Amino acid sequence: MTEKQHITIKGVKEGLVFLLDDKCEFSQLLDELHYKLDTSHQQLLTGPLVHVHVKLGQRQASEEQKEQIVNTIRKRGNLLVQSVEAEPAVGEAAAKDELKMLTGIIRSGQTIEHTGHLLLMGDLNPGGTLLCTGDIYVLGSLRGMAHAGIGGRTDVIIAASQLKPTQLRIADVISRPPDEWITGDTLMEFAFLQDGQMKIDKLSGLFRIRRDPIVFKGV
Amino acid sequence: MGEAIVVTSGKGGVGKTTTSANLGTALALHGKKVCMVDTDIGLRNLDVVMGLENRIIYDLIDVAEGRCRLNQALVKDKRFDELYMLPAAQTKDKHDVSPEQVRDMVLELKKDYDFVIIDCPAGIEQGFRNAVAGADRAIVVTTPENAAVRDADRIIGLLEQSHIPALLVINRIRQSMVKSGEMLDIDEICQVLAIDLLGIVPDDEKVIKAANSGEPTVMDPSSRAAIAYRNIARRILGDKVPLMQLDDKAGMLQRFRKFLGIG
C-alpha cells in the first residue's frame, strides 16, 4: 500500500475503532479492509476477543454496504463488531434551514414536530400543537399553540395569515395572547423575539429584522 | 347493502342521542328501513328517548356474548314498522365488547336495513372506537360553545385517521344570543372545523319535553327542531334543502314593531 491509507485502526478503552475514509470509492475501502485484516495487521488482529466500532465518517452507506463491512471484519473470529456509525452528514445540517411544506389541518390533540422551517398550508386549530426548530409560517389561521425554535434558536419567527394563537413560544419565551398583547387586526402578522421579549408586528415589517439581498433587474 | 352512520361528538350533552333518535325516526318517516344501535354501554339512553325502554329483552352485549341472535335483540319501534333499535346493556361497561364485534353486528344489520344509525358515547376511548368501527360515515354534533367545538375538532381528527368522512350538525343554536355576539355563530364554527355542514338545529324546549315523553321531536311538525331534523334526514337522502332561516319565527311581530320604529 503505497497510496494514501483509507483505514485507520485505533485502540481505545472499549476495543478497536476503525476509522474509514469517507471520500474514496466503497470498493476500494473494502479491498483495503480485506488487505489489512488478512495481511498487514495480522499480529494486532489475532488473540483475545476484541470489540470493534466502525466509524464511517460522512459516508452515506447503505444497509447492504454496512453489512459487507461487518461481514468482512467478522471473518476474523476474534473481532466482534459493536457498532457501525456515520456522522450526521453536512446535508442534514443544511436540512435544518430547509423549508418543509405541509398541507392539512392540525386539529385539537394533534402534534406536529419538525426539524427546520415549516410552512403549513392550512389551519392550526385550538388544542393543536406545532413544534419546530426553525421558523413557522402558517398560510391559514393559527389558533392553537405554536413553538418555534424548540432547540433554543431565538432568531426565528412565527408568521400567520391570521394570528390568533392560544399560546406562542419562541425558544424559552412563552407568550399568552390576548393577556399580553392584542392587536386590532390579526391578519398577516408575525411574532419574534426582541430583547428576550415576544413582539408582534405586521408581516410587512419583517424586513426590519431580517433582510435578504434582492437584486433588482431593469431600471 | 345499507349505510352505517355514526353520530358522535366527543363532548357529552350536546345532543348525540337526540340527534340519533330524531334522525332515525325522520328517515323512517321517509319510508326507509332503519336500525338504530346504541353503543353507550353502561349508560344507555336511546331507548328512553325513543320510549322503548320497557320492550327491551336482550341487548348488544347479549349478542356479543352469544346469548341470543342479533335479530332477537332488536326492538321494534311502536310507531313505525320499519324502525328498529339495538339497545345497549345497562349493567356492563364499554370494555365488554370489542370494535370487531360491533363492526360485525353493523355489517350484518347493513344487509337488511337502508340505514344503520349508531349512537356513540361521549369520550374518545373504547366506547368511541366501538362505535366508529363499522361506520361508513359520521355525523359530528356540536353546540355553539368553545368546549364543544374543541372536542368536535378532536373527534374529526380521529375520524380522519380512521378515514371516515364526517359531516357537521350544529345543535341548540339560540339566534338571539348569536346576534348579540354571546354565542359562536355558524360561520365561525365551520371555519374552525373545516368540514361540510349537514344541518343546524335551533334550541327548542319541545325537544326536552319530547325526550321525557319518549316521543321523538320529529313527530311534532310544529317544533322548529323537528323541521331541522327532517331537513337533515332529507339531505342524507340526497335532497338539496337550504339551511333553515333561524330568525324568521320571531319575525312577524318584531318586523311590525320595527316598522313602527319601536323594536
Side-chain angles (χ1 to χ4, degrees):
Chain A
M1 282 268 152
T2 48
E3 47 197 301
K4 182 182 171 276
Q5 300 253 326
H6 296 301
I7 295 176
T8 317
I9 302 174
K10 274 187 183 171
V12 291
K13 208 164 68 184
E14 297 90 39
L16 291 175
V17 177
F18 282 53
L19 296 170
L20 307 189
D21 188 273
D22 51 16
K23 299 285 184 300
C24 67
E25 288 284 309
F26 183 75
S27 56
Q28 208 178 344
L29 201 64
L30 218 52
D31 289 343
E32 194 178 322
L33 193 60
H34 274 292
Y35 176 78
K36 286 212 160 165
L37 290 176
D38 294 340
T39 50
S40 64
H41 287 65
Q42 283 286 3
Q43 72 284 34
L44 185 79
L45 300 171
T46 47
L49 197 68
V50 180
H51 291 299
V52 171
H53 298 270
V54 181
K55 300 227 184 281
L56 295 169
Q58 305 213 327
R59 180 186 298 278
Q60 293 301 303
S62 66
E63 285 303 313
E64 203 180 317
Q65 288 174 331
K66 284 181 186 170
E67 192 79 2
Q68 277 178 301
I69 294 174
V70 171
N71 287 339
T72 312
I73 298 175
R74 205 180 274 155
K75 274 187 201 147
R76 315 292 310 185
N78 64 326
L79 298 182
L80 196 67
V81 180
Q82 289 275 302
S83 67
V84 180
E85 282 172 355
E87 288 167 20
V90 189
E92 258 175 69
K96 277 185 184 156
D97 268 336
E98 227 163 68
L99 179 69
K100 192 194 173 194
M101 204 169 91
L102 194 75
T103 309
I105 301 175
I106 301 175
R107 295 184 183 275
S108 178
Q110 298 176 336
T111 304
I112 297 286
E113 203 175 333
H114 174 67
T115 309
H117 303 310
L118 189 69
L119 170 61
L120 175 68
M121 310 282 282
D123 296 349
L124 172 61
N125 275 358
T129 313
L130 197 52
L131 307 169
C132 201
T133 57
D135 293 341
I136 293 174
Y137 314 100
V138 178
L139 262 183
S141 294
L142 196 165
R143 305 189 194 90
M145 201 282 274
H147 189 172
I150 43 173
R153 276 181 70 177
T154 53
D155 61 330
V156 295
I157 63 160
I158 301 171
S161 310
Q162 197 187 19
L163 193 65
K164 280 171 82 180
T166 31
Q167 197 181 80
L168 283 186
R169 300 181 190 174
I170 296 179
D172 305 326
V173 182
I174 299 175
S175 163
R176 273 195 324 269
D179 302 1
E180 294 181 13
W181 48 266
I182 186 138
T183 51
D185 199 359
T186 57
L187 294 181
M188 303 295 277
E189 290 183 319
F190 74 103
F192 61 104
L193 284 188
Q194 197 174 57
D195 308 324
Q197 289 237 305
M198 194 155 332
K199 295 275 168 66
I200 308 292
D201 196 3
K202 290 260 145 221
L203 206 53
S204 51
L206 181 58
F207 76 95
R208 291 198 194 97
I209 62 164
R210 51 163 85 152
R211 183 165 201 169
D212 290 327
I214 303 173
V215 180
F216 296 101
K217 288 210 170 133
V219 229
Chain B
M1 198 73 170
E3 190 182 12
I5 304 174
V6 61
V7 180
T8 180
S9 73
K11 190 176 176 297
V14 296
K16 286 177 296 296
T17 303
T18 312
T19 303
S20 305
N22 284 301
L23 183 60
T25 312
L27 287 168
L29 268 172
H30 279 277
K32 297 291 171 193
K33 226 180 152 192
V34 181
C35 183
M36 294 181 282
V37 180
D38 190 354
T39 58
D40 199 348
I41 295 150
L43 292 166
R44 71 172 178 212
N45 294 139
L46 189 60
D47 52 325
V48 183
V49 175
M50 293 297 294
L52 301 172
E53 195 178 10
N54 52 9
R55 300 176 187 223
I56 294 173
I57 297 163
Y58 293 114
D59 55 46
L60 192 141
I61 296 287
D62 290 324
V63 180
E65 291 177 356
R67 275 191 292 276
C68 68
R69 278 176 288 111
L70 183 56
N71 277 338
Q72 286 177 298
L74 297 180
V75 180
K76 196 180 90 62
D77 185 73
K78 50 190 172 186
R79 292 155 289 247
F80 297 95
D81 283 336
E82 306 236 75
L83 179 60
Y84 288 81
M85 185 189 70
L86 176 62
Q90 184 70 326
T91 50
K92 300 293 175 74
D93 79 46
K94 289 155 178 96
H95 297 275
D96 290 325
V97 64
S98 71
E100 290 74 32
Q101 287 172 317
V102 177
R103 191 180 54 216
D104 291 345
M105 283 179 224
V106 171
L107 275 175
E108 206 175 321
L109 288 170
K110 270 163 65 178
K111 286 179 202 156
D112 296 331
Y113 294 88
D114 299 324
F115 287 98
V116 180
I117 308 290
I118 306 161
D119 185 22
C120 175
I124 53 171
E125 298 87 13
Q126 175 88 18
F128 170 76
R129 286 194 290 274
N130 284 342
V132 300
D136 300 313
R137 57 171 159 162
I139 293 176
V140 176
V141 184
T142 188
T143 56
E145 304 161 56
N146 268 327
V149 173
R150 198 68 48 89
D151 290 359
D153 193 42
R154 181 89 170 91
I155 286 292
I156 295 166
L158 294 173
L159 289 168
E160 278 172 357
Q161 278 170 27
S162 314
H163 305 289
I164 300 172
L167 293 167
L168 184 67
V169 167
I170 306 176
N171 198 7
R172 306 187 64 181
I173 299 172
R174 291 202 203 172
Q175 193 56 22
S176 56
M177 287 180 79
V178 172
K179 269 198 170 154
S180 61
E182 293 158 52
M183 204 176 236
L184 295 174
D185 72 21
I186 298 159
D187 287 342
E188 241 174 302
I189 299 169
C190 290
Q191 242 174 41
V192 172
L193 298 180
I195 57 171
D196 290 337
L197 185 63
L198 178 65
I200 50 174
V201 182
D203 197 30
D204 191 340
E205 284 172 8
K206 282 182 181 157
V207 175
I208 301 169
K209 210 177 91 191
N212 283 337
S213 61
E215 189 81 10
T217 324
V218 254
M219 303 300 289
D220 172 11
S222 71
S223 153
R224 310 227 323 129
I227 304 301
Y229 282 121
R230 286 183 189 197
N231 286 348
I232 289 172
R234 283 176 62 193
R235 285 185 202 116
I236 284 182
L237 292 171
D239 288 3
K240 293 235 183 307
V241 190
L243 271 191
M244 190 178 224
Q245 287 302 312
L246 287 170
D247 40 15
D248 255 356
K249 189 113 182 204
M252 262 336 260
L253 186 64
Q254 255 170 22
R255 251 183 267 160
F256 187 60
R257 278 189 176 164
K258 214 172 206 170
F259 180 68
L260 291 178
I262 51 170

